[in-house]
Amino acid sequence: MPRAGLDRAAVVAAGAALADEVGSTGLTMGGLAERLGVRSPSLYKHVASQDDLTRGIAALALAEAAAAVGTATQGRAGRDALAAAAHAFRDFVLTHPGRYAATIGVEPAGPNDPIAVAGLGLLDSFTAVLRSYAVEPAEVDHALRALRSFLHGFATLQSANAFQWSADVDESFEWLIALLDRGLRSTSSTQ
Amino acid sequence: MPRAGLDRAAVVAAGAALADEVGSTGLTMGGLAERLGVRSPSLYKHVASQDDLTRGIAALALAEAAAAVGTATQGRAGRDALAAAAHAFRDFVLTHPGRYAATIGVEPAGPNDPIAVAGLGLLDSFTAVLRSYAVEPAEVDHALRALRSFLHGFATLQSANAFQWSADVDESFEWLIALLDRGLRSTSSTQ
DNA sequence: ACGGTTGGCTAATGGCGTTAGGTTAGAGCT
DNA sequence: AGCTCTAACCTAACGCCATTAGCCAACCGT
């Protein structure tokens, strides 16, 4: 009988793909094993536990999101960069909902945890967007959190079908980007 | 042997309280039964399934959030109302994380589903905030979604400890409110 | 007092994550 | 080519969880 020849990266990648299909809560060790042509206990040679698998998926998703946002904003500045980043992030969440869902609720175990470094990478991608706005250094952290909250909130809610009412969702997203752009352009103007 | 004397409301309320303690994913029928001094199969006399329990918790949480936001904004207008609503919402999510987590991922089964009506109630509370801003009627839906995205995103991320870096989180929240206030005050000013 | 409803129970099923322990494929060396 | 040893895979089994079936006792109205 030939071997499947798996390693941790392959298992995590397949888990991420499966999570995107069946949802992060629907991801099961048995289902993933079947998908890989293997019995579920075999997965434990590559992954310590289901939680460990989820952490791997989360790190992968954060790195992918950071890359998507990073490349989307290259060569752009100001509102262009903001819009590109916002769209890249939302598209990533909508096309990879299971992956992204794995990132919420995981806590990095330390500064060297792949989750922590991938998270910082995503942060860097957003920081690059802010660089072309004249945000006070003392306010960069606040702006970063605002940006992250906006995008995370919108993408998550849309992905969960929480916007079921009349208006066009894409239009709302553009409106939200305009709101952010206005707000970032005039920081520290209100007490 | 005396009876526990439960009903659906008591089970749902206890489930919400337990979810706040152990997290929405840590909520188990066995754990809830033990908490109520009952065996797990007994819960099925009051609740159809764990999913049904979660839906009940979600409806409760949405109604409570709507009430919290609604009462916080009474007698206030403009930025005062916005800040009060934002704080009330975030406080609710932070003090009742399990409850609130139950609301994401549930889809109302129809227009009469308690989840749907509670969701509309929360929406109404936010709409009241917007009333004191001069938002174009055509843009109210967009503003509503932006507000909801902001608050959901920030509260969820803070609740998940996603803001671990230096700056003070409360300060960031104030900054975010200021950003929203500015943005809402000057709608349709940018193309 | 009594009869039905209703809320609790025990027992059992099936699916899940996970562990223990055995077996063999296949890489690497001689 | 043959030998060896690592590690990738397996089966068997445990415990936890949600859920169902079916029984019994407590309360409510008459």
Side-chain angles (χ1 to χ4, degrees), chain A residues 141-142 145 150 172 182-183 186, chain B residues 142 145 150 172 182-183 186:
Chain A
D141 275 8
H142 302 324
R145 285 170 175 165
F150 244 136
S172 293
R182 265 178 275 141
S186 60
Chain B
H142 302 324
R145 285 170 176 166
F150 243 136
S172 294
R182 265 178 277 141
S186 60

Side-chain angles (χ1 to χ4, degrees), chain A residues 92-136:
Chain A
F92 177 78
V93 175
L94 292 181
T95 49
H96 304 289
R99 255 172 183 72
Y100 184 74
T103 66
I104 63 182
V106 294
E107 300 242 12
N112 296 330
D113 190 322
I115 294 177
V117 313
L120 288 179
L122 180 57
L123 224 57
D124 284 348
S125 294
F126 286 138
T127 310
V129 173
L130 291 182
R131 236 189 307 273
S132 49
Y133 286 93
V135 180
E136 297 278 331

